[in-house]
Amino acid sequence: MTSDSHVRPDGPTGHECIQSYLKTLDGSPGVYRMLDAQARVLYVGKARNLRARVSNYARPAGHSGRIARMISETCSMMFLTTKTETEALLLEQNLIKQLKPKYNVLLRDDKSFPNILVSRAHGFPQIKKHRGAKKEKGNYYGPFANAGAVNRTLSQLQKVFLLRNCSDAQFESRTRPCLLYQIKRCSGPCVGRISERDYAESVRDAERFLSGRSTQIQETLAKQMQAASDAMEFEKAAALRDRIRALTSVQTAQGINPRGVAEADVIALHLEKGQACVQVFFIRAHQNWGNRDFYPRVGVDVEAAEVLEAFIGQFYDGKEPPRQLILSHPIENTELMAEALGAKAGRKVEITVPQRGEKAELVASAARNARESLARKMSETATQAKLLAGVAEAFDLDGPPERIEVYDNSHIQGTNAVGGMIVAGPDGFMKNSYRKFNIKGDDLTPGDDFGMMKEVLTRRFKRLLKEDPDRDKGMWPDLLLIDGGAGQVSAVREIMEEYGVEDVPMVGVAKGVDRDHGKEEFHRVGKSVMALRRNDPVLYFIQRLRDEAHRFAIGTHRAKRAKAVGATPLDDVPGVGATRKRALLAHFGSAKAVSRANLADLKAVEGVSDKLAETIYDFFHEGS
């Protein structure tokens, strides 16, 4: 890949700027970037022939409104040439995700998806939910649309196959069966209630089910139930009957279970009034493993083909694609996209737009879901817009706030103190922008809420001034809501004045004399205390914001406290991470036992090298 970049901030703009690049471009494939006067990326695109593609933008007419605006703002361009168009496509999607250009279709929600992992690190494999990199030894099944879909499937699988979900450390430390054994959700391998051979057979059955061979399992269980009944082992027969019912329940709960589609993502798009919803159904092993909706950022004049192609490219940038993508609309570069995804997956990926049959029914179902989801989203957005307008009117703001930041602290008598920031805007809660702050001030008096708020806001605005000094990246708040009264507002005002920030409105939300919902008092700098009517929708909205901030701060505090409770001296030993810590605790039973172990015993632990064993031994015996 070669790079050829040109930045001309003081040169011509618009069509003239773009025209000036044609002299130096050739017909190579590659990626181009259009930049504005501040060198911010407006658009990223790919081309089979860079010169031909850029020449289209040099034409003065024949563009949609969105493209015409983009051209008029262009002050410079950058180019990266590639060996192939496929390489250009992959690079384009990677840059779009990284740079988030103003005029590109942009996938805003790009979280990882959970899988079910049948771990192979133990003689009695564990079945559990897994999210993230697939580093652990075992077989992965997924992806599932969300954690709820995984949890439902795991719960039913436990009923059917009685596999353990406890950690290896818990497994090794058991001396009697846990509650899951008592309620017939586990076969009790930890205390020898099932042989390793029989447990392995249950694991194989579970994996057959996750691979789509559930009919064979039901037939086998039915034969075993009949044999137990004939032998008058009625308790065993009843247990097998319950397992068959649970297996049927899994299949029923999954709803759509296509016979003719083994592995595919069904992707349907609905466009309406400049907004888009993409619905994805995950089909694996002839089973529906859930669906998820996405709301990419689009313009009013984009075509379905452009939206779907951009979505697919960005969605699979960090994910392994299935063997088949079933789409509601055709995309422009079907063969190129299939080739790019196939190169990523290391196998063939087919992209199809079905017109009839079972696949068309799947697409119709996904499209209906997309249409209904977008209708709900647009209704919620309209309501949110009214509420934000109400907030602006109530607190004399210049206009409806695009970004509201709400702050709260949580601690127990000053210990494990954390600050939480939640963000809300026209689309509701912006959870990707939430932030937590571990309170670091050593000079703070335990329980000093004013001091904690000062530290949180100081760190927040120092970072804002460093990362977005020109306030053009959408990171600055239009309104600050502080949990507290006049004291907290005064503390925040001092911080703002210290950093020269005096134009961000702030409101302190106090609970009022009876500390009761509906009697909140609002404190502002230089203005008298005010209240809203008890039945005012804006009051309910602010209560919801404050409650969300409180929930987030409390959750962060609990997580920090739990981590502190689970901390051991092993956390301070160089070279001992989470995996080796688990191995040491499983082998010795406690951190205290590890500290007393001799060198030979430490070397005997699986995964602990001779050198690390010496490090651990020296750590606990230094100076003794």
Side-chain angles (χ1 to χ4, degrees):
M1 182 184 298
T2 60
S3 174
D4 181 19
S5 60
H6 305 266
V7 181
R8 303 173 184 174
D10 300 323
T13 62
H15 301 287
E16 292 181 9
C17 168
I18 297 170
Q19 182 76 38
S20 67
Y21 288 102
L22 293 177
K23 299 174 184 177
T24 58
L25 287 175
D26 59 19
S28 301
V31 172
Y32 58 92
R33 280 176 274 183
M34 306 173 98
L35 292 81
D36 66 8
Q38 284 77 43
R40 293 173 298 198
V41 179
L42 297 170
Y43 186 79
V44 175
K46 63 105 179 68
R48 179 185 304 170
N49 181 318
L50 277 172
R51 192 176 194 286
R53 187 75 184 93
V54 172
S55 67
N56 289 334
Y57 293 115
R59 289 186 288 106
H63 305 290
S64 67
R66 178 174 64 104
I67 299 301
R69 288 192 300 274
M70 178 186 73
I71 291 172
S72 69
E73 294 178 33
T74 300
C75 294
S76 60
M77 294 186 73
M78 297 181 70
F79 304 93
L80 281 165
T81 58
T82 59
K83 293 179 181 178
T84 65
E85 190 182 2
T86 301
E87 193 177 321
L89 175 64
L90 294 172
L91 178 60
E92 174 202 32
Q93 300 304 332
N94 186 274
L95 287 173
I96 290 172
K97 287 182 67 175
Q98 178 184 336
L99 301 172
K100 297 178 172 53
K102 178 180 177 181
Y103 287 100
N104 280 97
V105 173
L106 190 65
L107 174 59
R108 292 183 284 195
D109 181 7
D110 191 31
K111 296 179 180 176
S112 63
F113 293 89
N115 290 266
I116 285 179
L117 168 62
V118 180
S119 174
R120 292 294 182 183
H122 195 280
F124 290 95
Q126 173 192 14
I127 186 167
K128 62 181 179 180
K129 178 172 62 180
H130 177 88
R131 192 190 290 269
K134 298 178 180 179
K135 295 180 179 179
E136 192 170 343
K137 185 179 179 182
N139 297 329
Y140 293 85
Y141 298 91
F144 287 77
N146 50 53
V150 173
N151 292 338
R152 285 192 297 272
T153 302
L154 281 175
S155 178
Q156 296 296 341
L157 287 176
Q158 282 182 276
K159 288 181 183 179
V160 179
F161 303 109
L162 310 180
L163 303 184
R164 72 179 182 95
N165 66 356
C166 58
S167 68
D168 292 347
Q170 290 174 314
F171 182 93
E172 299 297 343
S173 64
R174 298 295 312 180
T175 56
R176 58 182 180 178
C178 67
L179 180 62
L180 289 176
Y181 175 81
Q182 307 296 339
I183 63 173
K184 298 180 181 177
R185 295 289 188 93
C186 180
S187 52
C190 56
V191 289
R193 300 298 171 92
I194 185 173
S195 68
E196 191 168 336
R197 178 182 174 183
D198 289 342
Y199 188 86
E201 184 60 37
S202 295
V203 171
R204 280 194 294 273
D205 284 343
E207 295 197 285
R208 286 190 192 108
F209 171 78
L210 291 168
S211 300
R213 289 174 283 171
S214 55
T215 305
Q216 299 174 15
I217 301 166
Q218 283 177 299
E219 290 174 355
T220 302
L221 291 175
K223 290 176 182 177
Q224 291 175 358
M225 181 180 70
Q226 186 61 49
S229 179
D230 293 342
M232 302 185 70
E233 296 176 350
F234 300 118
E235 188 174 343
K236 182 178 179 181
L240 288 165
R241 178 203 61 203
D242 292 342
R243 291 175 68 180
I244 294 171
R245 286 179 178 173
L247 188 57
T248 304
S249 176
V250 178
Q251 296 162 329
T252 303
Q254 287 170 336
I256 301 169
N257 291 301
R259 294 182 179 181
V261 181
E263 179 185 327
D265 284 349
V266 182
I267 304 174
L269 167 69
H270 183 72
L271 282 169
E272 186 175 340
K273 297 178 181 177
Q275 297 191 52
C277 178
V278 178
Q279 187 80 206
V280 183
F281 281 19
F282 299 90
I283 308 295
R284 300 294 185 275
H286 297 279
Q287 303 168 50
N288 173 27
W289 283 357
N291 60 295
R292 180 91 168 264
D293 47 13
F294 299 86
Y295 301 93
R297 187 189 73 191
V298 300
V300 293
D301 51 6
V302 294
E303 299 292 332
E306 181 185 353
V307 176
L308 262 188
E309 183 167 316
F311 174 84
I312 291 168
Q314 293 171 52
F315 185 70
Y316 294 108
D317 182 55
K319 302 178 183 69
E320 182 179 336
R323 296 182 184 278
Q324 191 174 54
L325 303 186
I326 303 174
L327 310 183
S328 60
H329 298 77
I331 60 176
E332 288 184 15
N333 301 287
T334 303
E335 293 182 5
L336 180 64
M337 183 64 74
E339 183 182 339
L341 295 178
K344 181 186 292 289
R347 52 173 165 72
K348 183 179 179 181
V349 174
E350 180 187 0
I351 299 178
T352 180
V353 183
Q355 301 301 314
R356 62 183 68 84
E358 185 180 41
K359 292 179 182 178
E361 292 173 7
L362 287 171
V363 168
S365 179
R368 183 177 66 253
N369 275 268
R371 183 176 64 253
E372 293 171 355
S373 295
L374 185 59
R376 287 193 296 271
K377 178 79 170 176
M378 292 172 71
S379 175
E380 291 167 3
T381 301
T383 302
Q384 188 81 354
K386 290 180 182 178
L387 290 171
L388 293 173
V391 168
E393 183 179 351
F395 299 125
D396 302 321
L397 305 181
D398 293 335
E402 292 288 316
R403 182 184 176 99
I404 301 175
E405 293 184 358
V406 192
Y407 293 86
D408 194 11
N409 298 324
S410 183
H411 59 90
I412 295 179
Q413 296 181 342
T415 62
N416 299 313
V418 296
M421 178 190 85
I422 67 111
V423 184
D427 292 327
F429 291 118
M430 300 158 62
K431 297 196 174 183
N432 287 343
S433 298
Y434 285 18
R435 294 293 180 268
K436 59 184 179 182
F437 301 85
N438 288 314
I439 305 297
K440 301 174 182 178
D442 297 328
D443 56 342
L444 289 177
T445 304
D448 179 5
D449 285 330
F450 287 2
M452 291 180 195
M453 189 61 71
K454 276 189 173 184
E455 179 178 330
V456 168
L457 269 296
T458 297
R459 287 162 58 187
R460 171 64 180 150
F461 279 93
K462 278 181 71 174
R463 186 163 185 169
L464 272 178
L465 288 166
K466 181 180 178 181
E467 295 183 353
D468 191 11
D470 298 324
R471 304 193 188 188
D472 56 6
K473 298 179 181 177
M475 297 169 66
W476 281 75
D478 301 308
L479 174 65
L480 297 182
L481 290 181
I482 312 296
D483 185 43
Q488 275 86 349
V489 171
S490 177
V492 173
R493 182 187 61 183
E494 290 178 15
I495 296 161
M496 309 282 264
E497 289 176 348
E498 182 181 342
Y499 287 99
V501 180
E502 299 179 5
D503 57 345
V504 176
M506 71 187 82
V507 176
V509 185
K511 289 204 170 72
V513 290
D514 296 327
R515 300 185 63 78
D516 186 23
H517 261 42
K519 296 186 178 181
E520 283 82 358
E521 295 176 344
F522 300 98
H523 299 259
R524 295 174 291 171
V525 176
K527 297 184 180 180
S528 58
V529 178
M530 63 169 287
L532 295 172
R533 295 191 323 273
R534 195 177 183 95
N535 62 347
D536 192 329
V538 174
L539 176 61
Y540 295 143
F541 177 57
I542 292 170
Q543 287 171 350
R544 202 149 50 89
L545 294 178
R546 187 192 59 197
D547 291 346
E548 172 69 0
H550 191 60
R551 179 203 65 77
F552 181 65
I554 285 283
T556 304
H557 165 72
R558 285 175 178 164
K560 184 177 180 181
R561 196 171 76 232
K563 187 175 181 181
V565 169
T568 75
L570 293 173
D571 296 325
D572 299 323
V573 181
V576 175
T579 302
R580 290 192 178 101
K581 178 182 170 182
R582 284 196 297 269
L584 287 163
L585 291 174
H587 187 90
F588 292 103
S590 69
K592 194 170 186 178
V594 176
S595 70
R596 294 174 174 174
N598 60 42
L599 189 56
D601 288 338
L602 288 169
K603 290 180 178 180
V605 178
E606 185 178 353
V608 175
S609 65
D610 290 354
K611 186 176 180 180
L612 181 58
E614 291 172 7
T615 301
I616 298 168
Y617 184 84
D618 291 342
F619 179 87
F620 288 112
H621 294 82
E622 194 175 71
S624 59

